[in-house]
Amino acid sequence: MSEAPSGPRIGVDEWVASAEERRQKTLSARAERAFERVPPAAKLALLAIPFALYPFLVEDPYLMQVGINTLIFVLLALGLNVAVGWVGLLDLGYVAFFGLGAYLYAAVASDYAGRHWDGALAIPAIAVTVAVAGFLLGLPSRRLVGDYLAIVTLFFLQLFLVILINSTFTRGPNGISDIRPLTLLGREITSLDGYYWTALVALVTVVVVLYLVNQSRTGRAWRALREDELAAELMTMPVNRLKLMAFAFGASIAGVAGAIYAPAQGAIFPASFDLILLITVYAMLVLGGAGSLLGATVGAVIISASLEALRDPEDASWLVYIAVVLVLLVLIKPWWRGLAVLGATAALGLLVHEAAERWWPSLVEGTTFGQARIDRLVDGWVLMPADFVTEEGLPAGAAARITYLLFVASVLALTLIRSSLWRTVAFVPVLYLAAVVWQNLMLPQPAVARFILMGALLVALMAYRPQGLFGKARVEIV
Amino acid sequence: MSANGQPAPLLRLEGINTYYGQMHILQDVNLEVREGELVCLLGGNASGKSTTLKTILGIVEPRTGAVILDGRDVTRDSTAKRIERGLAIVPENRRLFGPMTVLENLELGAYLRPRADLQEDLERVYSIFPLLYERRKQLAGTLSGGEQQMVAMGRALMARPKLLLMDEPSMGLAPVLVERSFEVIQEVHRAGVAMLVVEQNANVSLSIADRGYVLSTGRVVLEGKASELLTHDELRKAYLGR
């Protein structure tokens, strides 16, 4: 059909075509296309460079440990991406495979087990064994979809934890603490740097394999399966076999992560593989964008790094205030309205603080837990009631608890306001209340606060960009 | 060629009785599609069209009767086996993989085919639907309804079927696109693929078909040459119920 089209061609929707053209011209689409033109090997290198530079920039052993943990998290997020991101199977038992990998390592290389396998043998063996476990978990899941699959896999995770805690073989809740360092081809790895590089090599290998799989016929079939299982079956794809492959493949990545984690830590406990870890890894995948390798990696780095930063009272406040300011400036349009909200909040705080100093001095006599420079600045601005929290940082009375509740209620109320102008105005007192809650109640308890903040971050992201940072927006066929 | 000089039947339903539990849905249905033929299966709502299609595909199993595909009894075979023997389907509402590109959709249609033939299969489909070549890198979900119909047909043709089943191709398309869609069906038919088109829209489908069957409450009430059916009173009866 080479004749010139006369008039609107039948079967071609001109508007759709032109809309696509217009979309192609926007700045973000251009950036996206430019990014797509980068060859995959270069993208991988781009991704690997910051990881490779990290050990040269960091001296502190604690930060090295954080780096190793982050790499393990990236591996976990990439493995979870196979079943959840590509195939769309809601697997809530995933971290059991991580635990299994770690305990298997302990079984083949610890003083407790009396075996000292070389890593070159142990890691592939563990990868295969955990893949078989993933296959077995997949078996009952073939006929389960959606919520049912989630419940069954969650059951398996709990079963795994119960066995770990109650079995004498795994030493119960005390865990196994005399794990041998990793030996690779006879060379024992004892330094943190050594573990970092081992994890990085494993990560690069996994990324390359995942990239190739995603390009392959199997990878394509996985994604098709996620979109429409029945249509995939009608295209003669072996749906059940593909699902089992995804389970086994993702599980073996988690197993490898576990086999590196165990010797890097030197000790493993059942509590390291519980729901908190599962939720954290899911949060990484959701934040970065399920289905995207880059997304899973970036999401894991962001969450792992911010969880660490929030733990440290020196940095926590900086992180929170900068994040709040950035989010406000991005979310509130036009931009000067965002600035106005920030200015008004600052003014409101000064006013309230001044009034309190004059008439109710007890409201500003509390002591701060914050140690960053910004905390000293902020303490002259937020209310700091005396005896609001105990010395351990727990709420000390009804007033503290009510403030917490009031804050949550006011955030919810904020979402109910329809008019954009009034919502912007209402932002001001809510922000101030947020600052009061943060300085008085959250800072003293970073362990709890960081998870609350992570949840808030995810909620905000889901409202603004439901597909995650690097995920592709879903295209619905109507 | 069979004894009477007609091309051998590619698909034959022999005395099919299908039940959903106690409900007797298909009652003694006989149907035939010969090589290279374009046959339409007509009927109103709840006449058993979809059940017939599901019986052919093996999604439901008939209680009695036989499904014979290319000379072999496949009544007890799985859907995948039947598809391997040369069936392909364009499902109702097309069911494309929306967030994947047109090219990826087509490649997935050839899932069982040897990879060496992929390029050849693609070129064959592109020669029938040149537009798909232009749009090969676009996400299938962003295409218009008519274009999606082409992708769905192209995807089915990628498996090189002997018999292509089409479930309600006019569903959800604007009237002008319905006509275009049937022109496309004709083009594919001319390429030598036998087709069974399940439709509510009797006039358009009979105008391009060789033969037709009319179903009403699970029975074949009428069959014959398409040109004869078009003018038949019974057709109106089957649709209007009197």
Side-chain angles (χ1 to χ4, degrees), chain B residues 36-38 124 157 161-164 188-195:
Chain B
E37 215 179 17
L38 174 52
R124 211 168 53 95
L157 289 173
K162 291 177 195 146
L163 174 63
L164 183 61
V188 173
H189 178 218
R190 270 193 228 111
V193 182
M195 273 197 269

Side-chain angles (χ1 to χ4, degrees), chain A residues 46-282:
Chain A
L46 226 58
L47 204 64
I49 286 170
F51 285 120
L53 287 179
Y54 185 79
F56 298 107
L57 301 174
V58 169
E59 298 277 317
D60 187 0
Y62 177 74
L63 284 180
M64 259 336 271
Q65 189 66 52
V66 170
I68 295 169
N69 286 347
T70 303
L71 288 177
I72 302 269
F73 270 129
V74 175
L75 275 173
L76 283 178
L78 287 171
L80 186 66
N81 180 53
V82 176
V84 176
W86 285 345
V87 195
L89 301 168
L90 194 55
D91 175 7
L92 295 186
Y94 178 71
V95 292
F97 300 123
F98 178 52
L100 187 61
Y103 270 88
L104 280 175
Y105 185 84
V108 297
S110 67
D111 295 337
Y112 167 61
R115 273 183 286 266
H116 307 297
W117 286 18
D118 192 283
L121 172 66
I123 291 179
I126 288 171
V128 171
T129 315
V130 179
V132 170
F135 178 83
L136 293 178
L137 173 65
L139 281 179
S141 317
R142 279 173 306 170
R143 302 186 66 103
L144 298 171
V145 285
D147 314 353
Y148 303 101
L149 178 65
I151 292 165
V152 170
T153 49
L154 187 60
F155 161 76
F156 278 112
L157 171 59
Q158 293 303 321
L159 189 69
F160 176 73
L161 291 176
V162 166
I163 291 173
L164 287 190
I165 291 169
N166 292 299
S167 157
T168 47
F169 179 69
T170 59
R171 286 196 196 157
N174 298 330
I176 299 174
S177 51
D178 45 9
I179 295 170
R180 302 274 304 182
L182 191 61
T183 330
L184 272 178
L185 303 171
R187 287 228 316 257
E188 196 165 83
I189 298 174
T190 46
S191 68
L192 286 171
D193 276 29
Y195 281 105
Y196 186 89
W197 288 112
T198 312
L200 188 57
V201 168
L203 175 61
V204 170
T205 316
V206 164
V207 168
V208 170
V209 170
L210 283 175
Y211 177 81
L212 293 176
V213 169
N214 191 29
Q215 299 295 312
S216 75
R217 193 167 67 146
T218 305
R220 225 166 23 230
W222 276 342
R223 280 174 287 139
L225 195 59
R226 174 188 66 196
E227 292 317 317
D228 192 332
E229 196 175 322
L230 182 66
E233 193 151 15
L234 289 173
M235 300 295 113
T236 66
M237 292 171 211
V239 170
N240 284 337
R241 202 189 316 157
L242 285 166
K243 282 186 183 173
L244 289 175
M245 277 169 69
F247 262 112
F249 197 54
S252 86
I253 294 175
V256 170
I260 298 171
Y261 173 83
Q265 294 288 321
I268 48 174
F269 312 96
S272 315
F273 312 106
D274 60 1
L275 276 178
I276 299 274
L277 177 67
L278 180 74
I279 294 167
T280 311
V281 179
Y282 259 94

Side-chain angles (χ1 to χ4, degrees), chain A residues 321-342 423-424 427 431 457 460-461 463-465 469:
Chain A
Y321 285 113
I322 290 173
V324 166
V325 169
L326 279 182
V327 167
L328 276 183
L329 289 181
V330 171
L331 277 191
I332 301 185
K333 281 168 185 159
W335 59 271
W336 47 263
R337 226 185 230 187
L339 281 184
V341 167
L342 290 177
R423 195 167 52 221
T424 315
F427 254 119
L431 276 180
L457 173 72
L461 180 85
Y464 187 64
R465 199 176 155 84
L469 293 177

Side-chain angles (χ1 to χ4, degrees), chain A residues 1 9-13 16-17 217 220-221 223-224 227-228 230-232 234-238 242 475 477, chain B residues 83 95-97 99-100 104 107-109 111-112 115 130-131 134-135 139 141-142 144 147-148 155 177 180:
Chain A
M1 279 208 268
R9 276 183 297 173
I10 302 170
V12 187
D13 192 322
V16 171
R217 193 167 67 146
R220 225 166 23 230
R223 280 174 287 139
E227 292 317 317
D228 192 332
L230 182 66
L234 289 173
M235 300 295 113
T236 66
M237 292 171 211
L242 285 166
V475 185
I477 293 199
Chain B
I83 289 174
R95 301 194 90 131
L96 296 180
F97 304 116
M100 304 173 78
E104 282 177 315
E107 285 175 342
L108 284 167
Y111 194 82
L112 278 189
R115 222 170 290 191
L131 184 90
E134 286 172 34
R135 293 285 162 89
L139 299 187
T142 64
S144 72
E147 293 166 339
Q148 288 184 13
R155 187 178 64 175
L177 289 180
R180 171 62 188 151

Side-chain angles (χ1 to χ4, degrees), chain A residues 367-370 384-385 387-397 400-401 404 436-449 452:
Chain A
T367 46
T368 182
F369 278 80
M384 278 265 161
D387 304 324
F388 209 42
V389 287
T390 63
E391 270 172 33
E392 292 84 44
L394 295 167
R401 295 190 174 93
Y404 225 132
V436 171
V437 169
W438 170 252
Q439 293 300 125
N440 286 290
L441 297 163
M442 287 177 135
L443 253 182
Q445 284 187 292
V448 182
I452 294 177

Side-chain angles (χ1 to χ4, degrees), chain B residues 97-170:
Chain B
F97 304 116
M100 304 173 78
T101 64
V102 169
L103 179 62
E104 282 177 315
N105 268 277
L106 293 179
E107 285 175 342
L108 284 167
Y111 194 82
L112 278 189
R113 303 266 308 149
R115 222 170 290 191
D117 295 351
L118 184 68
Q119 204 49 43
E120 193 187 319
D121 288 344
L122 273 176
E123 269 160 29
R124 211 168 53 95
V125 169
Y126 287 149
S127 71
I128 302 175
F129 307 114
L131 184 90
L132 295 190
Y133 181 73
E134 286 172 34
R135 293 285 162 89
R136 65 192 184 282
K137 285 186 182 156
Q138 205 170 318
L139 299 187
T142 64
L143 300 175
S144 72
E147 293 166 339
Q148 288 184 13
Q149 182 73 41
M150 291 187 206
V151 181
M153 289 192 74
R155 187 178 64 175
L157 289 173
M158 285 298 287
R160 291 230 183 174
K162 291 177 195 146
L163 174 63
L164 183 61
L165 307 173
M166 300 204 57
D167 196 359
E168 305 261 4
S170 71

